[in-house]
Amino acid sequence: MESQAPKPQAMPPLVDFILTRRLPCAAVMTAMLLAMWLPIVIPVANPAIALLLMMLGMALNLMTPALVALVTFGGGFTFALHVAAISAAAITLVSGFSLTAGIVTLLLYGLLPILSATAMMQENGIRRSAEYVAIGSGLMALIGLLLAAAVQDTGVREWIDLLLAPMFAELPQTMPAEQMQAMQMFRESMVAVMPALLVLALWMTWWGNTGTARHWAKKFGFYRGSEASMLTLGFGKTLAYLFVLLMLLVMIVTGDLLYLVANAAIVIGGLLAAQGVAVAHSWLKAKGLTFSIGLMYLMLLIWSAMIVPFVIVGLMDIWFDYRRNIPAAGG
């Protein structure tokens, strides 16, 4: 007898009320966005509790795209856009009529997860959704960096260096020369890759939010669209060719353009690595090597050089489609 899909659960009445009405949903979205200010709104003397409030506020803020994606799955593009627009207006008002805060809310926390969720419901949704988030994150980071550098009347790399300077300003002057040199090298390394790390962090967080929202939408029975596993993530040949082109440009261009091209190459390498990880995860899962899956992610977390083999696997998978012959790949 064929196994039947689990029956969707009934959504709690209060959750159903909030998610199906624009104003309550926008209010929850606004509260989640403002949660990062919890330590200021609720001042506490205990450092541990203050740290806990800060972490809770940041977590709620970073989970906002999941709420927007969930609303998109249930209410559609237009309904979700209305919710995001109301929340952006509220943020603009609360921030003292800061248009920047309102625009960031509308585009980054609103439109980007809406596009990601809408794409995920379509054919080849996993790939299209991941690409939309990557393009949106990259464009917003690029525009933000260029505008910030222009305001400071400096280069992009120099602005990043100034941004990170306070982190290293309090180093004790009595530190041994070897350690001081090591910290300086670390600072230069951080400056060199900071834009790429920002984009990749945004991509992983925002796309992960979309995947989480899809899980809950399926659980409560209001998801309609592609049922493909997140482990089927794969990019097209255009990304591979772009990666090769950027690697060639790194050897030709100079100045700020070199800085931006190098970081763009790192971002695309990160996307290819994500595809390589999906290939490895699918293979290990098909072999029943659950412990090895956890070990793989642990090694990626503690040893940055581990990303290189996955970049190669992801790049090769674009042409050879390794998961095609893996039983129940990503199932």
Side-chain angles (χ1 to χ4, degrees):
M1 182 180 295
E2 295 183 359
S3 59
Q4 296 181 347
K7 184 178 179 180
Q9 298 182 14
M11 189 178 298
L14 178 60
V15 176
D16 181 75
F17 174 83
I18 292 173
L19 293 183
T20 55
R21 289 164 177 79
R22 291 172 176 80
L23 286 178
C25 193
V28 172
M29 179 180 174
T30 304
M32 292 176 69
L33 288 169
L34 295 174
M36 60 187 300
W37 300 104
L38 273 177
I40 298 176
V41 177
I42 311 176
V44 291
N46 191 311
I49 298 178
L51 178 61
L52 183 63
L53 283 175
M54 183 180 70
M55 293 177 63
L56 176 62
M58 291 180 62
L60 288 172
N61 183 279
L62 293 177
M63 287 169 59
T64 306
L67 172 68
V68 177
L70 197 64
V71 172
T72 306
F73 290 137
F77 183 94
T78 303
F79 181 88
L81 192 60
H82 289 168
V83 170
I86 295 170
S87 180
I91 292 294
T92 302
L93 180 63
V94 171
S95 61
F97 296 97
S98 170
L99 289 179
T100 301
I103 291 173
V104 169
T105 299
L106 182 61
L107 297 181
L108 184 61
Y109 290 90
L111 184 60
L112 189 55
I114 289 172
L115 290 175
S116 176
T118 302
M120 188 167 282
M121 291 186 285
Q122 301 169 356
E123 187 177 357
N124 296 321
I126 300 297
R127 169 181 164 182
R128 295 179 64 180
S129 174
E131 288 177 343
Y132 283 4
V133 176
I135 293 171
S137 300
L139 285 176
M140 290 182 191
L142 176 62
I143 294 171
L145 286 173
L146 292 177
L147 288 176
V151 170
Q152 294 292 327
D153 193 22
T154 184
V156 176
R157 187 186 182 104
E158 288 74 17
W159 184 80
I160 294 290
D161 191 34
L162 290 173
L163 187 67
L164 295 179
M167 295 175 56
F168 301 88
E170 301 299 327
L171 293 177
Q173 299 300 318
T174 56
M175 181 180 292
E178 295 80 4
Q179 294 184 21
M180 188 69 74
Q181 185 178 10
M183 291 301 297
Q184 182 61 30
M185 291 178 62
F186 175 71
R187 175 179 176 175
E188 292 175 358
S189 299
M190 288 295 294
V191 171
V193 300
M194 181 56 70
L197 294 180
L198 173 62
V199 174
L200 288 173
L202 277 174
W203 178 77
M204 286 188 291
T205 304
W206 261 236
W207 195 60
N209 269 266
T210 307
T212 302
R214 188 178 78 149
H215 167 77
W216 287 102
K218 290 169 67 174
K219 184 173 182 178
F220 290 107
F222 61 86
Y223 176 79
R224 301 291 182 271
S226 172
E227 296 286 343
S229 165
M230 299 290 280
L231 291 178
T232 61
L233 172 66
F235 299 98
K237 294 180 180 179
T238 301
L239 193 76
Y241 293 139
L242 182 58
F243 181 65
V244 174
L245 175 62
L246 289 172
M247 295 300 290
L248 292 174
L249 285 176
V250 165
M251 298 182 289
I252 300 173
V253 298
T254 59
D256 264 0
L257 185 57
L258 171 61
Y259 183 65
L260 294 175
V261 168
N263 275 274
I266 294 172
V267 170
I268 294 180
L271 297 177
L272 292 171
Q275 180 167 339
V277 168
V279 171
H281 189 136
S282 298
W283 186 83
L284 292 170
K285 185 174 183 178
K287 297 295 184 180
L289 302 173
T290 307
F291 175 78
S292 297
I293 294 174
L295 182 61
M296 175 185 70
Y297 287 111
L298 178 62
M299 292 298 293
L300 279 169
L301 182 65
I302 65 177
W303 191 19
S304 58
M306 274 291 293
I307 197 173
V308 176
F310 291 104
V311 174
I312 297 172
V313 171
L315 192 61
M316 299 299 291
D317 182 60
I318 290 177
W319 279 278
F320 296 105
D321 192 8
Y322 296 124
R323 284 163 291 187
R324 177 180 53 192
N325 297 319
I326 297 177

